[in-house]
Amino acid sequence: MSAIITGEAVVLELRPASFAARSLATAIDVSATLLVGLGLVMLLGALPFVVDFAAVRAILIVAVVTLLVIVPITVETLSRGKSLGKLALGLRIVRDDGGSIRFRHAMIRALLAVLEIYMTLGSVACLVSLFNDKSKRLGDMLAGTYAIRDRAPKVKPLQVSVAPQLAPWAALADIGRLPDPLARRISLFLNQGSAMAPASRHALGLELANEASQFVAPLPAPGTDPAVFLSSLMAERRERDFHRLTASAQRAAVVRSQLQRHGAGGN
């Protein structure tokens, strides 16, 4: 995962594409380009009988520039970072800050692709991609972009509730704000813990419960199962957040209503 903090202090978690996925997507794009180019060459094979050799050569140059530069720039700009290969593998090119690419980024990538993919048979792109954690090729480095997985598996919603034996504790407990990484780890554990071996599940649950206990007072009764404690903690935390946000929305609605009423009275 690649964490990006936006200007609004929102954390975006993006999944950089692997080297294998990028290589396969590029191979699809190159194959499609070569097939179209081969079709054009076969089509132009009959032109020498109609026009002279200089005209055919000019047409070939224009066709090559169009296929290798103009088409990739247009496709990536209009699709915000996709191509045929990336669409097939669920990838997308984004800026380093997580935003959609624009014409400038697509142009730099397309121009450098002529050198590092076509003129060197992909050797430069492969070597550069192997030595950085986001599998960037040279064009990505100069454009400030990289590839992400656009198709992420759907995350199963966390279904938790306060255990009946912990209801009195949950009603009185002082629950502080859990750090986001810890909350995510607890959610993953509660979602996927059932697939773990019992011993591993208990050990991980105990570790997470010990970390979460620093933000809870008082703690539940000794001997409480870590998974039950974590499930009740997340359920109570969610319930309190819901009530807090609901109350905040209601207060905002009251303020707007009062402002509108005063405005109408002033008019």
Side-chain angles (χ1 to χ4, degrees), residues 37-264:
L38 180 61
L40 289 176
V41 170
M42 295 175 63
L43 182 62
L44 292 174
L47 290 182
F49 299 101
V50 181
V51 297
D52 59 16
F53 178 74
V56 173
R57 184 171 59 183
I59 293 174
L60 286 176
I61 293 175
V62 171
V64 169
V65 173
T66 300
L67 284 176
L68 300 188
V69 179
I70 297 178
V71 170
I73 292 175
T74 303
V75 170
E76 285 199 352
T77 301
L78 296 179
S79 65
R80 292 292 186 265
K82 285 185 174 291
S83 64
L84 180 61
K86 295 178 185 66
L87 182 63
L89 295 181
L91 306 182
R92 179 189 295 273
I93 301 297
V94 297
R95 303 194 306 262
D96 284 338
D97 61 1
S100 298
I101 66 170
R102 301 187 183 278
F103 173 80
R104 174 175 60 85
H105 307 94
M107 181 180 65
I108 295 174
R109 284 173 41 78
L111 291 176
L112 268 295
V114 176
L115 168 65
E116 58 180 331
I117 294 178
Y118 292 99
M119 294 182 65
T120 62
L121 300 180
S123 59
V124 173
C126 287
L127 289 175
V128 174
S129 298
L130 283 172
F131 290 100
N132 64 82
D133 57 347
K134 292 183 178 179
S135 298
K136 289 187 174 188
R137 62 178 177 86
L138 189 60
D140 290 310
M141 292 183 175
L142 294 181
T145 59
Y146 70 107
I148 64 170
R149 292 189 174 275
D150 199 34
R151 294 185 205 145
K154 292 185 177 179
V155 179
K156 180 183 176 182
L158 181 62
Q159 303 291 339
V160 291
S161 59
V162 178
Q165 65 270 27
L166 293 184
W169 163 81
L172 300 175
D174 181 14
I175 301 176
R177 186 182 184 281
L178 297 178
D180 290 337
L182 176 59
R184 285 194 295 270
R185 289 169 57 205
I186 294 175
S187 297
L188 287 173
F189 168 75
L190 295 175
N191 260 331
Q192 305 174 5
S194 58
M196 301 174 62
S200 300
R201 182 174 185 271
H202 180 76
L204 180 56
L206 189 60
E207 177 185 343
L208 293 173
N210 288 334
E211 292 186 42
S213 64
Q214 303 175 25
F215 306 92
V216 180
L219 295 176
T224 301
D225 183 85
V228 173
F229 164 61
L230 292 172
S231 178
S232 300
L233 172 63
M234 298 301 286
E236 181 64 22
R237 175 175 176 263
R238 180 189 59 194
E239 191 70 15
R240 294 185 183 186
D241 286 345
F242 173 76
H243 287 303
R244 177 177 54 82
L245 292 174
T246 301
S248 177
Q250 290 174 347
R251 288 194 299 269
V254 170
V255 171
R256 285 196 301 268
S257 177
Q258 291 176 347
L259 291 175
Q260 290 174 356
R261 195 160 51 244
H262 288 318

